[in-house]
Amino acid sequence: MSGLAGARLAPTPQSFDTAQEEALVHQCRRKDYEAFAKIVDAYQGRLYGFLKRMVRNEEDASDLTQEVFIRAFQSLDRFDGRASLRTWLFRIAHNLCVDRARKAKRSLSTVSMVEDDDEGPMACVDHTWNPERLAMTDELRDVLEQSLGAMSEKLRTVLLLHDREQMAYDEIAAVLNVPVGTVKSRLFLARAQLRERVRVYLNGGPQ
Amino acid sequence: MRSEHEERLNALRQKLEQGLPLDEQECQLLDSELQREGPEAMWVRELPEEEPSLAWRSSLNARLGTMAKAQRRRLVWRYGSVAATVCAGALAAIFVVQMMPSPTAQAGGVEEMLVQSHEHWSGTVGMDVTSVPEPLLWNASM
């Protein structure tokens, strides 16, 4: 799998209300492919974007996104509706990332998300600079993408799910299967790291 | 010179990095900082969204189609084997019923006696009619 059709600047949160979601899931359980296609349409971009930023590889992200939908279609019978469809799909995506990281760790002994956080000591946060004035330039985008990539996967996951996907803390906790307090502390640290890295970039430091 | 707030934030960050438990004030500080949602959140939100290609989508559709065919085959095999078993059972039952002998009277029972009596009687009557020689009949009419 490779190749991208195009990129949009603004995310399109295309989700369903509860009744629509229930109806779609019901139709999908009866193997209605048109209903499942609607779910794919709604979530393919968001899942692909999430996975691409998690695995840092377009081809792997494409394959994993397909795998998410295949697994979802196979196991829709087991979807009990306690969590939203979005939470469920992102949980599958996250589990696939963890599996992939475990395999990579086994074969290459690389640092992965199954390890403990091993953030090095960071400089203290300087709150005197004014990042609000920054425009979203291509260069800043690159810096942000690089900063996200340099972050530990645990922090990156929470940052993407909260600030990108606009999930609530309890929803993220359900996706990651961790307490809400852990979600909050990871989000705080992730934002602090991102701010720090952008500050270094603005000061002309190394990226 | 750092403000008191910044000092508290840095202390909070160090505690979180070390995985130490937070007191109530620190929890409140954490919540308020998260709600403040600085520019980092906006940057992440404004990162470009990318869609998978049409080739990706047709590949997904093909995989789903293959899965659907496999599921249909499994269903046909499962229900087909059940139906075949039921049909075979029904045919066997019909065959067994047809091969069973018709009900007969039990030997030595009242029914057998009645049947024998009836056969004996009907045999006797038949014999009477057919066994009388013709000359005797002529003599009798004379």
Side-chain angles (χ1 to χ4, degrees):
Chain A
M1 301 300 109
S2 64
L4 290 171
R8 284 202 299 264
L9 283 180
T12 51
Q14 205 184 348
S15 50
F16 311 104
D17 63 35
T18 313
Q20 281 176 319
E21 194 172 293
E22 275 177 17
L24 276 176
V25 169
H26 183 67
Q27 285 172 300
C28 289
R29 282 184 182 140
R30 290 182 297 165
K31 305 299 170 198
D32 181 338
Y33 287 90
E34 284 183 19
F36 193 70
K38 285 181 189 166
I39 293 175
V40 175
D41 288 340
Y43 291 107
Q44 63 177 19
R46 299 161 75 172
L47 283 165
Y48 175 74
F50 172 74
L51 286 165
K52 192 181 157 198
R53 289 188 174 97
M54 289 306 297
V55 301
R56 320 293 300 164
N57 178 309
E58 279 188 24
E59 202 171 324
D60 286 357
S62 296
D63 288 345
L64 286 176
T65 311
Q66 279 207 359
E67 200 56 37
V68 170
F69 287 115
I70 295 288
R71 289 197 184 189
F73 191 74
Q74 281 174 330
S75 52
L76 260 168
D77 289 337
R78 293 199 294 274
F79 174 64
D80 54 12
R82 275 184 298 178
S84 71
L85 192 60
R86 177 175 74 154
T87 306
W88 188 62
L89 289 172
F90 273 92
R91 191 187 298 151
I92 295 173
H94 174 257
N95 289 341
L96 286 171
C97 284
V98 172
D99 288 346
R100 180 183 174 277
R102 281 204 181 111
K103 279 178 196 160
K105 191 188 170 197
R106 270 202 297 271
S107 59
L108 298 169
S109 302
T110 53
V111 176
S112 73
M113 67 196 302
V114 291
E115 291 182 349
D116 292 330
D117 280 331
D118 55 349
E119 301 304 313
M122 295 282 294
C124 291
V125 183
D126 179 6
H127 293 272
T128 56
W129 63 298
N130 191 356
E132 283 85 354
R133 281 197 240 142
L134 276 177
M136 179 58 89
T137 59
D138 286 346
E139 199 179 356
L140 177 58
R141 262 182 227 126
D142 288 344
V143 171
L144 288 171
E145 295 283 8
Q146 284 175 29
S147 304
L148 282 170
M151 209 176 271
S152 86
E153 291 180 61
K154 284 180 178 175
L155 299 189
R156 198 189 323 155
T157 310
V158 174
L159 188 69
L160 288 173
L161 291 179
H162 188 273
D163 289 347
R164 175 87 188 157
E165 294 304 323
Q166 295 164 47
M167 282 189 186
Y169 299 133
D170 55 349
E171 209 175 349
I172 299 171
V175 169
L176 305 181
N177 201 22
V178 295
V180 171
T182 305
V183 173
K184 287 181 180 178
S185 61
R186 285 183 189 175
L187 181 61
F188 179 85
L189 290 174
R191 283 180 180 171
Q193 281 190 17
L194 190 65
R195 196 185 308 126
E196 178 62 22
R197 287 177 203 279
V198 174
R199 191 187 67 81
V200 170
Y201 153 74
L202 290 174
N203 290 343
Q207 268 301 309
Chain B
M1 186 98 182
R2 279 193 199 133
S3 70
E4 191 187 339
H5 181 68
E6 285 166 13
E7 292 288 350
R8 286 173 62 205
L9 282 178
N10 282 322
L12 174 65
R13 180 172 172 180
Q14 281 172 3
K15 256 189 152 175
L16 290 174
E17 282 174 346
Q18 289 164 12
L20 299 172
L22 305 181
D23 61 31
E24 200 171 325
Q25 280 189 336
E26 287 165 333
C27 285
Q28 284 173 357
L29 179 62
L30 177 64
D31 281 336
S32 68
E33 272 302 298
L34 291 177
Q35 277 177 355
R36 195 176 58 82
E37 214 175 71
E40 312 83 48
M42 185 194 70
W43 294 336
V44 173
R45 205 160 30 245
E46 287 187 1
L47 283 171
E49 184 184 2
E50 289 169 342
E51 291 279 344
S53 63
L54 291 175
W56 174 90
R57 185 58 188 267
S58 39
S59 166
L60 175 64
N61 289 342
R63 284 182 74 182
L64 289 171
T66 310
M67 273 172 55
K69 276 181 194 163
Q71 279 179 340
R72 269 199 295 272
R73 270 201 299 273
R74 273 200 298 274
L75 278 178
V76 167
W77 175 250
R78 190 180 300 160
Y79 290 115
S81 58
V82 169
T85 310
V86 169
C87 284
L91 285 173
I94 291 168
F95 180 73
V96 167
V97 166
Q98 282 184 344
M99 290 300 290
M100 277 173 64
S102 58
T104 51
Q106 284 182 337
V110 176
E111 287 174 358
E112 192 193 12
M113 285 172 60
L114 284 169
V115 170
Q116 280 178 353
S117 155
H118 170 72
E119 284 172 354
H120 177 73
W121 178 80
S122 56
T124 309
V125 168
M127 195 186 298
D128 282 347
V129 171
T130 55
S131 62
V132 178
E134 230 170 288
L136 284 177
L137 288 172
W138 294 339
N139 290 337
S141 63
M142 282 181 172

